[in-house]
Amino acid sequence: MSEQVIELKGSVLSLTVLHIYSADINETKASLAKKIEQAPSFFVGIPIIIEPKIELSDPTFLALLVEYLHQLQMIPIGLRSKDPVIQEQATYTGLAIFPEDTRRPTNEGSDEKPRAAIQEKQPEQPAEPNYAPVVMDEPGLKSALVIERAIRSGQQIYAKDRDLIVLGSVNPGAEIIADGNITVFGKLQGKAIAGTAGCMNAKIFAKQMNPELVCIAGIYQLADDIDEQYKNNGLVEIRLKDEQLIMSAM
Amino acid sequence: MSKVIVVTSGKGGVGKTTTSASISTALAQKGKKVAVIDFDVGLRNLDLIMGVERRVVYDFVNVVQGEATLKQALIKDKRVEGLYILAASQTRDKDALTQEGVERVINELKEDGFDFIVCDSPAGIEKGAQLALYFADEAIVVTNPEVSSVRDSDRILGILQAKSRKAEEGGAVEEHLVLTRYNPSRVNAGEMLSKDDVVDLLSIKLLGVVPESQDVLNASNSGEPVVLAQDTDAAQAYLDIVERFLGGEVDHRFLEEEKKGLFKKLFGK
């Protein structure tokens, strides 16, 4: 029996990125010290990626910064920059080089407009307003995304990595999607898709429902397949059991 | 303070232009200064319903493109004081409108002291409709009591919540519902959605119900907003709507089947 000794796998991790806006090492150090003073224990042992936002002409800057971060008990592991000069410095200092930021563009320093999800031109405005804003980068506990209004035909709400609670109705032609559970306090008449990331324990609760489609972890039922007794007849719980959607009136 | 009102629906043929014309006229009758703009470029209708199609020299597109001044293009209504019409062009398409141009026209109207600027939206959810609703402070959503119209109105309400300037600034456009072509006897027969069904689904405030009526068609054909045909149900309904819009309390009418008395039964209508 050969036991597996090692395995190389790709993994997406959440790391802290340190943006540098000053080419002056002393100023940077002072600013770092001040930041860490606010929560000394929080930064101990955390991996750091350095991302200079300005041109660094001083060839010792990176080495000094890495040294200082070590002193502060942080662990600089890499650099993100496309400047070949800084990249070269990084290899001397033993830092890994990460590709340039390819996530969705942030407001600062990025000129390129986000790709339009909707065709029409809306100057100076990322064309994604049909979706509820979803904050995705915060680590730790994620509370449910709560939508207090009705979700209308053509609108789509996605609660990434969390539950979704809708206080209004989900009208026909609307779509609500959550990686966690879904609860609807109004009428559920559109599509509800829970456990999108594959969570088999996700559930859907609706106070009153006649949905176009319900789906948990990829297992779905269309309106016609849903037993009439659950339609427009009070609170219903939908869960997954043995790859089958089980509905029960509550 | 000028207010920009968009009259919209999503679906076509539900009575947007009729409603725009009647509401604008009634607002002007109440002593307000009103401009009504036809955003349906290429398919102008408003000037026909207002009976000014023979007086159009310059239109909305000319003003947006800077080929004419607003003064030249605004057509003053001959029946009601304080009512002005900005007609759509018949020879251009909707791409002739630009956001900057529309904004300029609306700002100019505001500076001219108009109390209400009524934007008659084209059907659909494309550029023309989006431009019509973008600058709105209030929206009047026109719906017929049937499923497809209600769905489309739901969709347009979603767009109002997402793509109007108010929404972008973190506010909200005030939404009103006008239910047109309402026929209580057909509702009772189950052939039409009831007022309650529609209000329940759209969950916005009902401004009024306009009964289905031959008078609307007659008025349109003669180039007169139906609200000027005082003794008709439709005119009464629109007057109620404007009263409520301006904050008055008026009971809803035209929701029940008209009971025919013996006399009417014997002699027809």
Side-chain angles (χ1 to χ4, degrees):
Chain A
M1 225 167 49
S2 72
E3 219 172 81
Q4 200 172 19
V5 182
I6 60 153
E7 188 184 21
L8 274 175
K9 277 183 96 174
S11 175
V12 180
L13 301 169
S14 170
L15 293 170
T16 308
V17 179
L18 174 66
H19 289 171
I20 306 288
Y21 295 101
S22 164
D24 182 341
I25 185 68
N26 291 322
E27 197 181 16
T28 309
K29 277 182 175 179
S31 174
L32 261 171
K34 209 167 143 199
K35 188 92 203 155
I36 280 149
E37 216 172 80
Q38 293 166 4
S41 56
F42 183 79
F43 295 98
V44 170
I46 63 162
I48 293 275
I49 293 180
I50 301 165
E51 185 171 346
K53 291 287 187 185
I54 34 100
E55 213 170 289
L56 297 176
S57 47
D58 181 357
T60 59
F61 183 95
L62 210 55
L64 289 169
L65 181 66
V66 167
E67 175 60 31
Y68 188 65
L69 287 172
H70 278 300
Q71 278 176 29
L72 294 171
Q73 292 181 287
M74 288 189 257
I75 306 165
I77 57 167
L79 171 99
R80 188 156 67 187
S81 167
K82 54 183 173 193
D83 185 344
V85 182
I86 307 175
Q87 284 188 356
E88 203 188 332
Q89 285 185 37
T91 30
Y92 287 131
T93 348
L95 291 176
I97 292 166
F98 287 81
E100 198 55 12
D101 201 345
T102 51
R103 296 169 311 156
R104 68 204 150 120
T106 48
N107 292 335
E108 9 147 27
S110 139
D111 287 332
E112 54 181 317
K113 284 259 165 70
R115 261 178 302 140
I118 297 145
Q119 300 143 337
E120 51 274 332
K121 218 167 57 185
Q122 291 268 315
E124 298 165 78
Q125 209 251 330
E128 242 190 321
N130 235 347
Y131 296 78
V134 183
V135 183
M136 285 181 285
D137 294 330
E138 291 162 14
L141 180 68
K142 278 184 183 153
S143 59
L145 175 63
V146 181
I147 308 288
E148 293 181 11
R149 54 183 169 81
I151 310 201
R152 302 191 177 277
S153 176
Q155 290 184 323
Q156 196 182 41
I157 302 284
Y158 176 33
K160 186 170 168 56
D161 295 333
R162 52 184 180 164
D163 290 359
L164 176 60
I165 299 173
V166 180
L167 302 185
S169 290
V170 178
N171 285 350
E175 248 179 63
I176 51 170
I177 307 164
D179 286 343
N181 306 302
I182 290 177
T183 309
V184 179
F185 286 93
K187 278 187 192 165
L188 171 56
Q189 300 183 86
K191 294 180 179 155
I193 299 157
T196 23
C199 174
M200 314 276 269
N201 297 324
K203 289 177 183 174
I204 298 173
F205 303 93
K207 205 175 157 210
Q208 190 81 257
M209 70 161 206
N210 186 5
E212 290 165 347
L213 171 145
V214 287
C215 173
I216 296 174
I219 314 283
Y220 69 90
Q221 258 185 20
L222 286 168
D224 287 352
D225 307 324
I226 296 171
D227 200 328
E228 291 297 325
Q229 62 165 309
Y230 301 114
K231 290 182 185 171
N232 293 324
N233 195 19
L235 183 59
V236 176
E237 177 207 65
I238 307 168
R239 64 198 160 84
L240 202 58
K241 196 186 166 199
D242 303 330
E243 307 217 331
Q244 284 227 313
L245 290 179
I246 309 287
M247 297 193 188
S248 44
M250 294 175 81
Chain B
M1 253 303 273
S2 338
K3 267 195 176 152
V4 181
I5 307 166
V6 61
V7 178
T8 186
S9 71
K11 195 171 182 299
V14 295
K16 280 183 299 295
T17 303
T18 302
T19 301
S20 301
S22 283
I23 287 182
S24 316
T25 307
L27 281 170
Q29 281 179 326
K30 294 247 171 209
K32 310 282 181 194
K33 196 176 174 193
V34 185
V36 52
I37 308 176
D38 191 350
F39 273 77
D40 204 349
V41 178
L43 288 169
R44 66 185 208 196
N45 285 309
L46 183 71
D47 49 338
L48 292 171
I49 288 190
M50 300 292 291
V52 298
E53 83 273 17
R54 291 175 175 280
R55 296 171 57 203
V56 179
V57 180
Y58 293 107
D59 55 49
F60 186 31
V61 172
N62 292 137
V63 184
V64 164
Q65 309 240 318
E67 297 157 2
T69 64
L70 192 57
K71 267 212 175 62
Q72 288 174 305
L74 277 177
I75 304 168
K76 191 173 184 306
D77 190 272
K78 285 182 173 166
R79 294 158 297 214
V80 185
E81 185 66 24
L83 178 60
Y84 295 83
I85 299 122
L86 193 50
S89 169
Q90 231 167 359
T91 50
R92 309 285 189 91
D93 59 30
K94 291 189 176 67
D95 295 330
L97 295 181
T98 61
Q99 186 159 314
E100 298 72 32
V102 173
E103 182 170 24
R104 194 166 45 78
V105 172
I106 286 179
N107 285 341
E108 221 172 299
L109 288 168
K110 284 181 177 174
E111 281 163 24
D112 281 354
F114 279 91
D115 299 306
F116 292 101
I117 300 156
V118 179
C119 304
D120 181 23
S121 170
I125 53 172
E126 281 79 35
K127 192 181 169 193
Q130 294 204 4
L131 278 175
L133 66 78
Y134 185 72
F135 297 101
D137 301 307
E138 307 208 19
I140 293 176
V141 177
V142 183
T143 305
N144 288 167
E146 45 115 3
V147 175
S148 64
S149 172
V150 175
R151 287 287 172 87
D152 289 358
S153 294
D154 194 38
R155 182 90 170 86
I156 208 85
L157 282 164
I159 292 173
L160 271 166
Q161 286 169 359
K163 296 207 173 165
S164 59
R165 183 162 66 178
K166 281 234 156 166
E168 285 174 13
E169 287 169 352
V173 175
E174 203 177 317
E175 302 153 342
H176 308 273
L177 178 65
V178 168
L179 200 51
T180 54
R181 299 205 169 149
Y182 198 73
N183 185 333
S185 57
R186 291 185 66 191
V187 171
N188 291 343
E191 296 167 3
M192 264 188 185
L193 293 174
S194 77
K195 168 211 115 191
D196 292 333
D197 289 342
V198 178
V199 172
D200 189 41
L201 186 96
L202 294 178
S203 49
I204 61 172
K205 208 172 69 213
L206 181 69
L207 197 57
V209 176
V210 181
E212 190 172 42
S213 149
Q214 180 63 34
D215 302 324
V216 174
L217 201 62
N218 292 345
S220 301
N221 288 337
S222 62
E224 191 169 75
V226 70
V227 75
L228 291 176
Q230 290 266 353
D231 49 344
T232 62
D233 285 356
Q236 293 297 318
Y238 276 117
L239 288 171
D240 284 2
I241 284 170
V242 167
E243 192 66 48
R244 284 186 207 108
F245 185 78
L246 293 174
E249 297 267 338
V250 188
D251 285 339
H252 284 284
R253 293 195 272 171
F254 314 111
L255 294 172
E256 299 303 325
E257 215 169 326
E258 201 180 319
K259 291 191 183 61
K260 282 190 175 171
L262 183 65
F263 187 78
K264 277 193 175 170
K265 268 186 193 156
L266 285 175
F267 298 101
K269 207 182 163 185

